[in-house]
Amino acid sequence: MPKEGQRGFGIDVGGSGVKGGVVDLRTGELIGERIKILTPQPSTPDAIAETAAKIVEEAGWQGAVGLTLPSVVKAGKVHTAANIDHSWIGTDAVELFSNAFGGRSVTVLNDADAAGLAEDAYGAGRDVAGVVMLLTFGTGIGSAVLNHGMLLPNTELGHMEVDGKEAEHRAASSVKDRKGLSYESWAERVTRVLRRYEELFWPDLFIAGGGISRKGEKWIPHLDLRTPIVPAKLLNTAGIVGAAMAAEGATATAAAALS
Ligand code: BGC
């Protein structure tokens, strides 16, 4: 059993579910169960805070809490709300959650950034030197850019214009579903977007995240890129793990030292 200081607590706030759990920061694995509650509708700050408080209580967790949002978050304040209620914009998320959890220490970060931290420390980016770029393909496209484990937060590459259209409107996995595209023709769209990213950022590795990365063998081989690309390893726990790392100030280097 990991000691105090080797454990953290993360909550991943998504469009359909709010998921949380205790994380072993030596391994990046969950200790015990992942607790999931359906995202309340409308997904307003107060409704989400209440849901998150239930998860913390159910887990019996007493310490600091890290949370993700599908938003640009700077110094605890929410600046965008792509797939959650628009009333989040302008909310001081740290204050909101800290009040909901009885005044404890809270860290809030972008969902893809959290997944990137986790994959870089424990998953597909582990031991990779240089620039790692994680993209999550879901309702939108989330991005995380890390250089030797150091995150450049809030990159929002899903909103970059590629051939006159926002990248996520062209190549999120929701576009595949909506248009009924085959893996192969969707992969052409993803290639177009990732080529643009590699032209501008020259990453050493792409990590493909989001639910569709579970079926990576169906579409990753169809991509035509200069940069190596691998599926994410942590899948549905990456956000929780990254949030817990952020709450405990655990960088990739710190995680390696703990393990
Ligand atoms: C949002 C990002 C988020 C991504 C994945 C995008 O639409 O702008 O902040 O990381 O979706 O949820």
Side-chain angles (χ1 to χ4, degrees):
M1 186 68 176
K3 294 189 280 259
E4 216 172 295
Q6 295 175 331
R7 282 177 292 157
F9 195 81
I11 298 183
D12 193 15
V13 177
S16 56
V18 182
K19 295 147 276 180
V22 180
V23 177
D24 183 341
L25 294 170
R26 300 168 308 174
T27 60
E29 280 161 12
L30 293 203
I31 303 166
E33 265 181 68
R34 189 178 73 127
I35 303 168
K36 178 174 174 179
I37 300 182
L38 291 183
T39 305
Q41 297 302 338
S43 49
T44 57
D46 285 343
I48 297 278
E50 204 180 298
T51 307
K54 275 190 204 144
I55 292 177
V56 173
E57 198 190 337
E58 196 175 321
W61 179 256
Q62 305 292 338
V65 179
L67 298 106
T68 77
L69 288 173
S71 309
V72 167
V73 186
K74 284 177 83 70
K77 198 167 163 202
V78 177
H79 290 266
T80 64
N83 298 307
I84 47 166
D85 199 82
H86 278 228
S87 56
W88 276 95
I89 296 173
T91 300
D92 185 331
V94 164
E95 190 182 83
L96 170 84
F97 288 118
S98 181
N99 287 341
F101 306 156
R104 69 180 87 188
S105 162
V106 163
T107 307
V108 184
L109 74 167
N110 172 264
D111 55 359
D113 281 348
L117 283 175
E119 282 294 334
D120 196 63
Y122 309 105
R126 195 181 172 141
D127 303 326
V128 174
V131 175
V132 171
M133 190 178 277
L134 169 126
L135 285 326
T136 60
F137 296 93
T139 312
I141 296 180
S143 60
V145 180
L146 295 108
N147 184 28
H148 293 277
M150 189 72 87
L151 176 74
L152 174 67
N154 296 309
T155 45
E156 293 292 314
L157 297 182
H159 298 289
M160 197 169 105
E161 202 176 298
V162 177
D163 297 338
K165 208 170 181 175
E166 274 188 51
E168 70 176 27
H169 294 158
R170 188 174 288 289
S173 68
S174 59
V175 175
K176 177 183 180 300
D177 298 342
R178 205 170 51 243
K179 293 189 179 279
L181 301 174
S182 66
Y183 280 103
E184 201 169 344
S185 62
W186 178 66
E188 276 173 31
R189 291 169 171 251
V190 177
T191 292
R192 192 61 214 111
V193 166
L194 295 187
R195 278 203 182 168
R196 196 75 190 110
Y197 295 165
E198 61 183 5
E199 276 161 15
L200 296 175
F201 293 91
W202 287 80
D204 295 288
L205 180 72
F206 279 126
I207 302 176
I212 201 157
S213 64
R214 247 176 250 141
K215 302 219 171 102
E217 76 289 349
K218 298 205 169 165
W219 57 278
I220 291 181
H222 294 301
L223 299 175
D224 183 12
L225 302 165
R226 152 175 76 209
T227 312
I229 175 160
V230 293
K233 284 194 177 153
L234 277 71
L235 299 173
N236 60 6
T237 62
I240 298 173
V241 173
M245 289 172 73
E248 299 295 325
T251 60
T253 328
L258 283 173
S259 65

